[in-house]
Amino acid sequence: MNLRCQSCGADLVVAEELRTTVCPYCAAPSVVERPPSVDRPPPTFALGFAMTQPSAAERVKHWLRTRHPWSHSGLKKAPLQDVRGIYVPAYLYSALAQSEYSASIGENYTETETYTTTENGKTVTKTRTVTKTEWRSLSGEHAEYVPDVLVTASRGLTNVELEHLEPFDLRMLARYEPALVAGWIAEEPSLSREECLAMARQEAMEKVKRRLDAFMPGDSHRMQDVNTRLSAESLEVCLVPVWVLAARYDPEKPPLRVVVNGQSGEVHGEVPISWVKVALTVVAVAVLVLVVYLMNQGGRP
Ligand SMILES: [Zn+2]
């Protein structure tokens, strides 16, 4: 059956027995039935779950126990709720990137220079070694194939969250078949193809920029101008396996949403910081500084 979350906009497809009124992404109790989407193409690829629900929960418990010392104390023992496996829609993008660049390439060299200084009231001449950089300009062309750029197509899982869960092992990619998602919650792409294409192109450009940076010779460089053209682009819908769950670390606060890569077990969540702990640490450091200061004072006549 087809459901829509009126809060975050996720379009879910679930089996009758998994009918839910609470959104698995945002926990909002505003899930309603919707007519099936007609114009959306089915996914091309899918990655299967490789991690069971108990082992995903185990990963999350370990992750919660090993957060920053300043994180909320309730996290260590937070009960996990609503652990759901979701096939999240993403776009898999690849393209050929051709760049023209111009850069300044810096080569370091050392020089011995003499200088004068005053020692015990006398002027003396000394030498020292200094590192200098000689700049030359370099321009050229660079072409490469950029494969496997993955961007979210879901309103329920942001692209930043997806990036935290990456990489997915795309060697396990299979052709999509409805049987694969039977018994799971699947989401249909709720972001437009255009939005996703723009995100994917930007990610591809950033990859190219990092590759060019690594490719430059010399001890240092400054990029002056880069002009990249993307061609032979491909963009396919791919379902990726994600466990989504809620950790109720404080009865007074909304639960922490945690997402787990259903393949590798990589965990991500925005851990709440305990400001009480931060304040106590600041006070403890201040007291320590004061004690050291007073001890030094006490040592003087
Ligand atoms: Zn929602």
Side-chain angles (χ1 to χ4, degrees):
M1 62 190 303
N2 299 288
L3 304 172
R4 168 168 296 154
C5 171
Q6 290 181 307
S7 176
C8 73
D11 281 345
L12 307 167
V13 182
V14 301
E16 195 68 44
E17 66 273 16
L18 288 172
R19 171 194 280 270
T20 175
T21 52
V22 177
C23 176
Y25 284 119
C26 69
S30 52
V31 171
V32 295
E33 258 196 270
R34 64 175 166 93
S37 10
V38 281
D39 53 345
R40 281 182 199 158
T44 311
F45 299 112
L47 276 175
F49 274 87
M51 174 158 276
T52 60
Q53 178 167 334
S55 50
E58 213 38 63
R59 288 277 187 138
V60 173
K61 280 181 193 155
H62 174 76
W63 180 84
L64 287 170
R65 281 196 300 270
T66 53
R67 287 308 89 201
H68 196 273
W70 283 348
S71 58
H72 195 289
S73 342
L75 284 177
K76 288 193 166 60
K77 279 176 267 159
L80 307 181
Q81 298 174 329
D82 307 327
V83 187
R84 290 198 174 93
I86 307 181
Y87 276 103
V88 177
Y91 271 104
L92 192 60
Y93 172 87
S94 62
L96 180 66
Q98 285 163 292
S99 311
E100 285 155 24
Y101 62 85
S102 57
S104 297
I105 305 297
E107 305 279 5
N108 293 348
Y109 62 97
T110 53
E111 240 178 35
T112 308
E113 62 178 28
T114 54
Y115 65 104
T116 55
T117 184
T118 311
E119 260 177 25
N120 303 325
K122 285 180 200 161
T123 305
V124 290
T125 303
K126 292 191 159 189
T127 60
R128 64 185 165 199
T129 310
V130 289
T131 301
K132 293 192 169 175
T133 307
E134 187 178 274
W135 294 94
R136 64 186 168 90
S137 57
L138 179 73
S139 58
E141 285 173 21
H142 179 86
E144 67 173 307
Y145 182 66
V146 187
D148 303 343
V149 174
L150 198 66
V151 294
T152 188
S154 160
R155 291 196 191 277
L157 189 85
T158 66
N159 202 44
V160 173
E161 284 179 301
L162 184 66
E163 273 176 20
H164 278 287
L165 294 186
E166 281 181 64
F168 286 88
D169 184 358
L170 296 169
R171 287 172 306 177
M172 307 302 283
L173 213 59
R175 284 266 149 199
Y176 168 80
E177 278 176 45
L180 189 83
V181 301
W184 297 88
I185 300 172
E187 196 203 336
E188 294 189 328
S190 45
L191 295 175
S192 75
R193 193 183 156 87
E194 289 64 42
E195 279 174 272
C196 297
L197 181 60
M199 274 196 289
R201 281 179 175 156
Q202 197 188 333
E203 265 188 42
M205 290 292 201
E206 283 160 16
K207 271 194 182 181
V208 169
K209 194 181 169 299
R210 283 197 297 275
R211 215 79 70 88
L212 273 175
D213 273 330
F215 171 77
M216 288 296 128
D219 298 299
S220 53
H221 66 269
R222 296 185 200 128
M223 277 296 180
Q224 309 289 6
D225 193 31
V226 183
N227 190 355
T228 302
R229 284 185 319 280
L230 297 168
S231 60
E233 294 176 295
S234 118
L235 190 71
E236 310 268 19
V237 177
C238 166
L239 297 179
V240 296
V242 178
W243 289 103
V244 181
L245 53 100
R248 190 161 277 286
Y249 63 97
D250 186 335
E252 311 276 292
K253 298 208 166 91
L256 166 68
R257 168 189 149 111
V258 184
V259 287
V260 184
N261 180 324
Q263 209 181 21
S264 69
E266 184 69 28
V267 180
H268 172 70
E270 292 296 330
V271 170
I273 296 295
S274 162
W275 294 107
V276 175
K277 281 190 183 178
V278 174
L280 286 177
T281 309
V282 170
V283 169
V285 169
V287 167
L288 194 68
V289 168
L290 188 68
V291 166
V292 170
Y293 174 76
L294 290 176
M295 280 166 63
N296 282 343
Q297 288 292 307
R300 288 191 190 146

